[in-house]
Amino acid sequence: MTLQTEPRPTAESEPELVTSGAFDARQLVSSLPQAVRKLNPRDQARNPVMFVVFVGAAITTGLSIWHPSVFAWVVVAWLWFTVLFAGLAEAVAEGRGRAQADSLRKVKRDTVARVLNDDGSITQMPGSELSVGMRIVVEAGEVIAGDGDVVEGIATVDESAITGESAPVVRESGGDRSAVTGGTVVLSDRIVVAITTEPGETFVDRMIALVEGAARKKTPNEIALDILLTALTIIFLLAVVAVGPMQQFAGEAADPVKLIALLVCLIPTTIGALVSSIGIAGMDRLVQRNVLAMSGRAVEAAGDIDTLLMDKTGTITFGNRRATAFHPADGVTEAELADIAHLCSLADETPEGRSIVELAADRFSTALEDQGFSTALEGQGLSTALDDRGRSRDDYVAIPFTAQTRMSGVDVDGVEYRKGAADSVRAWVGTSRPEVDAIVDEIAGRGGTPLVVAQTGKILGVIELSDVVKPGMAARFAQLRAMGIRTVMVTGDNPLTAAAIAHQAGVDDFVAQATPEDKLTLIRKEQAAGRLVAMTGDGTNDAPALAQADVGLAMNTGTSAAKEAGNMVDLDSDPTKLIEVVGIGKQLLITRGALTTFSLANDLAKYFAILPALFSTVYPQLDALNVMRLHSAQSAIVSAVVFNALIIVALIPLSLRGVTYRAVAPARLLRRNLLIYGVGGVITPFIGIWLIDLLVRLLPGMG
């Protein structure tokens, strides 16, 4: 494994990394019934801050019945509105999840599955009765009855019901594109699927539970915030309890309704009411981008990521490396090199192997057209097929590629032919050729991938594979750098090729000649240094690293093992989406932090509204604190309570959309949020309470 570091350009702009989620004001109205249903002690007890408001509203209701007054009943009404609006925020967030769940339920169909028995016979049974390990046969036009892996055949599959993408995808046995999802439709050919999940635990079932919020648990950050809010609530509760005796000592009768109103206004009700909806909305934003998070904790971890590991092929580059040229060694013709390269690639089912066969056939069709072993090796013809030299399929021994040898090839009549990484082939041959080494360095230097071709004891030349960096990757990595995230490209290529691609893409570091064990080692090393790590993967060999990473984004096209190991699944199978996932995680954390700052800051204005109102008759000097010049003690208290309730409704859209996040330095982001939500949280209540007081003073009994 080779780790290198490249200096990178800085970001020249501050483009938005994550856009806000959608919000429709009609959602408030449609969610009111659900918010009313949340007005029960069991639901309220899950939120300590709002439970205090709930109990206070109940006590105030009883006091108002005992000693009715306009002031008391107005306070009662708005205390219940405060509790209702807190439930409304959560109901709106959950309602959006239920709408997505309803669309997913349409995917679930109780189909009849054709189970393939060990003796080759087929038994029909309902898809709901399938169990892990069963094999089902699915042909064109049929619905796949359960989640599983393709173990035989290849077919195009319509996954639009899951991903929203209308273009069909290819699913085939072996490799990293074998996983299929129940409810999707086979469009062509025939496949055999091994079921990997029990009924009720399918991918769609899990998606429905997650987007509805039924499977959502509080994250560590939410738990920590709950502890903070609970501590503040207890402190203010003790302070308000002490105010009553202070009033009596000063010669003024304590009014329990006023004290309860004071308590509700002083405790952090705003963030207490919105914290749940912020978490639900964060997961909802991921679902909108076709990413399924297995837990809210994974979303939050994405917001704290320090190191981002990304595969080169298919992530940073398009991944369609194709053979573009043959470079023979001295004394070898290009046609001879193409002949051997073609021979080494006939049993290679990778895209690179197929492209070598195609290039050889295109360039030298005359030399290769009579080789019947082509059909034999690919398994499409008779085992007795002969090549032009009179050999049959049995005379050819295909050597598959492995991560250890990093070579593949074929053995014929005691002669071994190999193609693979330059250092591996050189070690296999036991010698090197200067002109071939120069070609390898030249290809790698311009970002290509050299594959050296050799036969027993002799290096024959180089196949050039070319890949292309996706447009805009340098700008996206610059955004991540501005966020304080270190990007590492992981590739099995040689160091020269990796360096060229890394420089072109703009990543911070790269790991060349990486094995699955190297990925796992690197993740553990980063975590041991106290950093959070994210990575993408789609293969079974990626599963250990996906499980070890703090954020593991598995591709939906990948294997079941990869999807089980990761804590997120990208339904679109776009590895670069991990960049968006990081942005959404940061947006979630920033939204929660911004609204917490606003909630604590706007309590300041309530102090100036209610405290002078409680003691102004005993201590006229406190009237100097009445900077808003509120009309009376009663109108001041009512205005503060009304503002306290209305600000929750006003902030629901922001809690659902999220604070717009831009990739800027953390210190600059902190200054901006303190200015907007800290200073703004202080100023807004002064204006709001003063305006409400202008209306409240018109009510009878507020003089």
Side-chain angles (χ1 to χ4, degrees), residues 612-636:
L614 291 176
F615 294 96
S616 59
T617 57
V618 180
Y619 300 107
Q621 298 89 340
L622 289 177
D623 190 59
L625 296 178
N626 186 13
V627 294
M628 290 174 277
R629 314 317 301 170
L630 302 178
H631 178 63
S632 64
Q634 287 83 356
S635 70

Side-chain angles (χ1 to χ4, degrees), residues 289-291 310 476 553 570-582:
R289 290 164 173 81
N290 270 359
V291 177
M310 304 187 79
R476 302 192 80 179
L553 181 63
D570 177 20
L571 303 180
D572 294 330
S573 299
D574 176 9
T576 63
K577 198 178 289 184
L578 186 55
I579 298 175
E580 290 185 60
V581 170
V582 170

Side-chain angles (χ1 to χ4, degrees), residues 154-207:
I154 180 172
T156 55
V157 179
D158 177 9
E159 295 186 342
S160 59
I162 299 292
T163 66
E165 175 58 51
S166 59
V169 295
V170 176
R171 295 290 177 264
E172 58 186 324
S173 60
D176 296 334
R177 293 183 178 270
S178 60
V180 292
T181 304
T184 56
V185 181
V186 172
L187 298 180
S188 68
D189 302 293
R190 173 187 182 274
I191 53 175
V192 177
V193 177
I195 299 299
T196 57
T197 57
E198 299 287 352
E201 299 177 3
T202 65
F203 191 63
V204 173
D205 289 320
R206 292 162 64 190
M207 288 178 65

Side-chain angles (χ1 to χ4, degrees), residues 400-417:
F401 175 88
T402 66
Q404 287 71 34
T405 64
R406 298 168 62 224
M407 296 187 301
S408 63
V410 65
D411 295 346
V412 184
D413 292 340
V415 181
E416 299 176 343
Y417 300 95

Side-chain angles (χ1 to χ4, degrees), residues 210-225:
L210 286 165
V211 300
E212 280 186 323
R216 182 180 179 274
K217 297 180 180 179
K218 288 189 176 181
T219 64
N221 281 343
E222 283 182 305
I223 294 173
L225 182 57

Side-chain angles (χ1 to χ4, degrees), residues 477-493:
F477 287 132
Q479 293 179 46
L480 290 169
R481 192 173 303 107
M483 294 157 55
I485 297 175
R486 174 172 165 263
T487 54
V488 180
M489 182 188 77
V490 181
T491 177
D493 288 337

Side-chain angles (χ1 to χ4, degrees), residues 335 338-339 342 359-371 388-389:
D339 190 0
H342 178 274
L359 180 64
D362 289 343
R363 294 273 184 91
F364 305 99
S365 57
T366 302
L368 302 172
E369 63 186 2
D370 58 347
Q371 294 185 356
D388 60 330
R389 300 173 182 84

Side-chain angles (χ1 to χ4, degrees), residues 46-133:
R46 294 187 294 109
N47 188 328
V49 177
M50 299 315 301
F51 183 68
V52 170
V53 181
F54 176 81
V55 173
I59 294 174
T60 307
T61 302
L63 293 172
S64 300
I65 294 173
W66 187 257
H67 293 292
S69 67
V70 174
F71 166 75
W73 281 112
V74 170
V75 171
V76 166
W78 282 98
L79 288 182
W80 283 115
F81 280 139
T82 303
V83 180
L84 176 67
F85 294 158
L88 180 63
E90 189 173 28
V92 172
E94 291 175 349
R96 300 205 306 183
R98 280 193 298 273
Q100 292 172 331
D102 289 341
S103 65
L104 287 171
R105 284 192 178 92
K106 297 177 182 177
V107 177
K108 294 193 63 178
R109 314 179 203 180
D110 191 10
T111 57
V112 175
R114 294 189 292 147
V115 179
L116 181 63
N117 302 315
D118 293 338
D119 60 2
S121 62
I122 292 179
T123 304
Q124 292 189 342
M125 68 168 57
S128 58
E129 297 180 8
L130 293 174
S131 59
V132 175

